[in-house]
Amino acid sequence: MRRAWTEEELQKLDEMRFRYSINEIAEKLGRSHCSVEAKFRVLKKATYSNLTELYTVNQVAEMVGVHRDSILRMMRRGCIVPKKTCNSRPKHFFSLEQVEEIRSKMKKFVRLSDYDKSKIRSMYSIKGMSVSEIAREMNRSHSTIDSVIFPDRYRKRDYTRRESLRQQSESKTIPEKSEAS
């Protein structure tokens, strides 16, 4: 059940807002974490991320470089578990350590930068490393490294596959119905 904020609580809230985290403020005032966070939002005095090092799904997605749905999908699958979920409104928070963990898990799904591609090519051509060695060192799949080093092989394979599918569909003609007399 909701309890109205008293003037005394609002004064204490204002005094404590930059000295304590939201969890500590909530404990001292006998309020829930979400209640204190919501009051800060209403008063427009501070935001949650200004006071602690916890981040929302949108912030994590931006930091990692993926769409927010990718983060939510990982949560549904149980790959990552948020630190805090507010009951009044579904909101999930992640610590900085969790963001780094998510970043390492999502690295396989994030596009390679031009720098990474040039690094892969130099590891192969200059250092003489094998594709498997590069994949292990870069924490990427064998096929990802292979597609960077030999891009024409993959383009040709996709073109050949599409061409063969097109030819198959053309060869499968529907027999015409003969008109019975």
Side-chain angles (χ1 to χ4, degrees):
M1 185 163 144
R2 294 186 179 187
R3 190 178 69 193
W5 286 82
T6 64
E7 286 299 319
E8 183 183 322
E9 285 177 318
L10 291 174
Q11 186 178 0
K12 285 181 181 178
L13 183 70
D14 196 41
E15 291 170 2
M16 292 189 282
R17 70 184 175 135
F18 292 114
R19 288 190 281 165
Y20 302 102
S21 70
I22 290 184
N23 286 333
E24 292 170 327
I25 293 171
E27 191 177 308
K28 290 179 188 287
L29 294 177
R31 295 270 183 176
S32 72
H33 171 91
C34 294
S35 173
V36 173
E37 181 195 4
K39 186 48 82 173
F40 275 131
R41 224 183 355 257
V42 168
L43 297 174
K44 296 184 183 346
K45 296 243 180 186
T47 61
Y48 184 79
S49 58
N50 287 349
L51 297 174
T52 65
E53 291 197 11
L54 293 180
Y55 303 94
T56 63
V57 171
N58 288 339
Q59 290 170 325
V60 170
E62 190 175 320
M63 291 166 75
V64 174
V66 296
H67 195 272
R68 69 184 298 272
D69 290 345
S70 299
I71 304 295
L72 294 171
R73 191 177 314 109
M74 286 182 75
M75 288 171 47
R76 279 194 305 273
R77 291 179 181 165
C79 298
I80 54 175
V81 180
K83 277 239 188 251
K84 178 71 177 164
T85 304
C86 290
N87 296 332
S88 60
R89 200 174 89 198
K91 196 153 188 179
H92 313 284
F93 298 105
F94 300 91
S95 69
L96 197 55
E97 295 84 31
Q98 286 179 305
V99 173
E100 291 304 317
E101 179 186 341
I102 293 167
R103 184 176 283 135
S104 69
K105 287 181 180 179
M106 294 302 289
K107 188 172 186 176
K108 296 175 185 170
F109 305 106
V110 177
R111 295 187 121 210
L112 285 169
S113 66
D114 290 335
Y115 172 76
D116 286 338
K117 289 178 182 178
S118 65
K119 186 177 175 183
I120 289 168
R121 288 185 192 109
S122 69
M123 291 168 91
Y124 181 76
S125 60
I126 297 170
K127 292 183 180 177
M129 295 173 71
S130 70
V131 173
S132 298
E133 291 171 335
I134 297 170
R136 261 193 310 276
E137 188 169 318
M138 297 289 291
N139 196 22
R140 295 289 186 152
S141 70
H142 187 278
S143 60
T144 299
I145 303 301
D146 207 31
S147 69
V148 171
I149 297 171
F150 309 108
D152 295 335
R153 183 186 301 169
Y154 284 85
R155 284 191 205 116
K156 186 177 179 183
R157 185 184 304 157
D158 290 342
Y159 174 76
T160 308
R161 191 176 297 141
R162 281 194 304 264
E163 194 63 29
S164 67
L165 289 172
R166 187 183 62 75
Q167 287 174 356
Q168 285 175 3
S169 67
E170 287 177 356
S171 67
K172 291 181 183 177
T173 56
I174 302 172
E176 293 181 20
K177 293 181 180 178
S178 59
E179 292 182 23
S181 13

